[in-house]
Amino acid sequence: MSSNPDIQAIDATVAAPAAAAPARLSSHRRWFMLSLLLIATIINYVDRVNISIAAPFMAKDLGLDKVQMGLIFSAFAWTYAFALVPAGFIADRFGSRLTYGASLISWSAVTVCQGMAGGFASLFGLRLAIGAMEAPAFPANSRAVTVWFPARERGMASSIYVCGQYLGTALFTGLLLWLATTYDWRHVFYSTGIVGILFGIAWLYLYRDPLNCKKVSKQELDYIEAGGGLVKSSQDKNTFKWAQIAELLKYRQVWAICIGKFASTSALYFFLTWFPTYLIEERHLTMVKVGIFAVLPFIGATVGVLLAGFIADWMIRRGVSLSFARKLPLVVGSALGMSIMLVNFTDSNEVCIALLTIAFFAQGIASSSWAAVSEVAPKELIGLTGGITSLAANIGGIVTPIVIGQILHLTGNFAWAFWFIGGMACIGTLSYSLLLGRIYRIELKAK
């Protein structure tokens, strides 16, 4: 692993925040595109978490045990993780519009099919398919924000779309629980899948990259580009080479973000998979209380990721170095995430939910790592860099549900699960504080 020896050759993105925004832009199309990213991310994560809401009903109906449920929960991440690198290249090659649109429609169609599953094998196979089809989403998100936003706004822009992974659960858990209890668990998949198909069609109609957008003004394009937004890279069509991956992995920044994302995602996947089961089976909460309590940590995480983006951008605008501003929330969020271990020391449901809300708030802060990815990615390989770091993150999505399933099988309770997640948070803290080093845009050597 090596860092860039030419520290003086820092990308213009780092210097860009010093430039003030013009008094009034004649268009604000970048914020409309960001709203599309937010909606798409909400749908993306609702289609990941819907199975955790349906799980208690589905497991009883289909006779699935804890080990099988752990495998089903993790199946999504198996294909998702290993499809991320090719998905990142696809995002770079074909752009965010076509990549995301095709991904949305395909994974939503398979989500509908989950409602027709008849047992372990069919559910496992369908979750594998959804994982592969959702893989282009976050590389396309990262690419879209990097080409649409100047550096001084990129932290908040990244935080806004990332908060979609928490906001969807906070908004729709009650509705999905109502569908599962009023009708049956299959309607959870039917409804979320149909919504995704409809929005996928809308995405193809509405989203454009900056130079292909007729409604963006030249003034706004100049503002984005002057501030470090890679407007022109949206026109680049790169040819994939395996050497590009090897080149990226020479940099400690890439390794540090990969390790940190892996650690942070361990907490995320607990909340996306086993959390409702924990509330129902170990905390013995009623469905009404689950509908209320399950939402609170997701609200906490939403606040965390938005706060991290706001504070980082605020510091940059006031002259704090981009590197420090982007690193601070990663270290603080990872360190605070270790608080999840305190759940093992309380019998109070209210204190338990408060601690879990704090822990997920911390995970939300650490999720601002997507802004760091946007800052270090070579301008030619934005999607691929996002794919590699997201691959590392979602290996955590493979490991965590299986580990927790095995813990439950062996011990019958969640205590060691919280020790495991807290330990991962500690690893993330060490990676971001000791390994990451200076954040700057990687300049690939000319061949």
Side-chain angles (χ1 to χ4, degrees):
M1 295 180 292
S2 65
S3 60
N4 191 333
D6 189 9
I7 290 297
Q8 278 69 40
I10 299 173
D11 188 84
T13 310
V14 177
R24 187 178 183 85
L25 293 176
S26 55
S27 70
H28 295 84
R29 201 63 182 169
R30 65 196 185 283
W31 296 105
F32 173 76
M33 297 305 173
L34 182 61
S35 71
L36 296 179
L37 291 179
L38 173 60
I39 296 169
T41 305
I42 288 173
I43 294 171
N44 181 297
Y45 267 80
V46 167
D47 285 345
R48 297 190 199 193
V49 79
N50 55 13
I51 194 165
S52 70
I53 294 170
F57 312 96
M58 186 171 62
K60 184 177 180 180
D61 185 30
L62 301 179
L64 303 172
D65 62 28
K66 291 292 187 293
V67 173
Q68 288 176 314
M69 287 306 303
L71 289 169
I72 290 169
F73 284 151
S74 74
F76 169 93
W78 292 21
T79 47
Y80 181 80
F82 292 103
L84 280 164
V85 172
F89 165 71
I90 290 169
D92 285 331
R93 181 67 179 83
F94 296 102
S96 295
R97 176 176 173 263
L98 289 176
T99 302
Y100 217 144
S103 178
L104 250 168
I105 293 170
S106 60
W107 94 57
S108 298
V110 180
T111 296
V112 172
C113 293
Q114 278 184 108
M116 307 172 191
F120 172 79
S122 56
L123 274 170
F124 188 79
L126 289 167
R127 293 300 290 179
L128 289 173
I130 290 177
M133 292 169 184
E134 281 201 15
F138 267 69
N141 278 346
S142 181
R143 181 185 177 281
V145 164
T146 308
V147 302
W148 267 108
F149 284 86
R152 68 198 304 274
E153 297 173 352
R154 202 173 290 148
M156 179 54 72
S158 296
S159 292
I160 287 172
Y161 82 70
V162 169
C163 82
Q165 68 188 29
Y166 315 111
L167 199 56
T169 304
L171 292 173
F172 298 111
T173 292
L175 175 60
L176 296 181
L177 275 171
W178 176 81
L179 283 172
T181 54
T182 304
Y183 298 96
D184 61 35
W185 60 269
R186 299 180 188 275
H187 283 78
V188 171
F189 299 113
Y190 295 151
S191 58
T192 53
I194 290 170
V195 169
I197 291 170
L198 293 176
F199 185 76
I201 295 169
W203 170 274
L204 290 170
Y205 178 74
L206 295 171
Y207 180 85
R208 295 292 185 276
D209 277 336
L211 295 183
N212 295 325
C213 182
K214 296 179 180 178
K215 295 185 179 181
V216 64
S217 67
K218 185 178 185 302
Q219 184 190 20
E220 185 177 6
L221 285 176
D222 290 343
Y223 166 64
I224 295 168
E225 191 164 19
L230 304 184
V231 171
K232 290 186 173 132
S233 72
S234 64
Q235 300 296 298
D236 296 341
K237 304 298 181 185
N238 300 311
T239 301
F240 175 76
K241 299 175 183 176
W242 286 104
Q244 293 169 338
I245 298 176
E247 181 70 18
L248 287 172
L249 293 178
K250 293 178 182 179
Y251 294 88
R252 62 187 286 180
Q253 291 87 349
V254 175
W255 279 99
I257 293 172
C258 284
I259 294 169
K261 278 182 167 290
F262 171 86
S264 176
T265 302
S266 297
L268 174 62
Y269 268 84
F270 163 73
F271 284 98
L272 292 180
T273 56
W274 285 108
F275 182 44
T277 301
Y278 169 71
L279 295 181
I280 293 168
E281 296 187 1
E282 185 149 327
R283 287 288 167 174
H284 306 294
L285 298 182
T286 65
M287 288 300 167
V288 173
K289 286 188 176 181
V290 169
I292 297 171
F293 283 4
V295 167
L296 296 178
F298 286 89
I299 294 174
T302 302
V303 173
V305 70
L306 291 174
L307 185 65
F310 172 80
I311 291 176
D313 285 355
W314 178 84
M315 287 193 293
I316 290 170
R317 287 195 294 270
R318 278 151 183 79
V320 176
S321 74
L322 181 145
S323 182
F324 181 82
R326 295 292 185 234
K327 281 179 64 175
L328 180 64
L330 304 183
V331 176
V332 171
S334 297
L336 185 58
M338 290 186 280
S339 63
I340 198 169
M341 294 183 287
L342 297 176
V343 171
N344 288 331
F345 299 98
T346 182
D347 294 324
S348 166
N349 289 334
E350 290 75 15
V351 173
C352 169
I353 294 300
L355 289 170
L356 290 173
T357 300
I358 291 169
F360 212 17
F361 167 79
Q363 198 278 334
I365 294 175
S367 289
S368 61
S369 56
W370 274 108
V373 173
S374 293
E375 305 297 358
V376 305
K379 62 184 180 180
E380 309 92 339
L381 301 174
I382 301 168
L384 184 61
T385 308
I388 289 172
T389 56
S390 197
L391 162 62
N394 284 279
I395 291 175
I398 297 172
V399 172
T400 301
I402 294 176
V403 168
I404 294 176
Q406 290 294 334
I407 287 171
L408 294 176
H409 179 69
L410 294 172
T411 69
N413 62 67
F414 280 83
W416 279 101
F418 293 122
W419 290 117
F420 168 75
I421 296 167
M424 290 296 102
C426 181
I427 290 172
T429 305
L430 294 173
S431 180
Y432 285 135
S433 58
L434 302 179
L435 180 61
L436 181 55
R438 185 185 181 99
I439 292 178
Y440 60 88
R441 189 167 307 284
I442 295 168
E443 297 279 355
L444 295 181
K445 297 176 182 177
K447 299 295 183 182

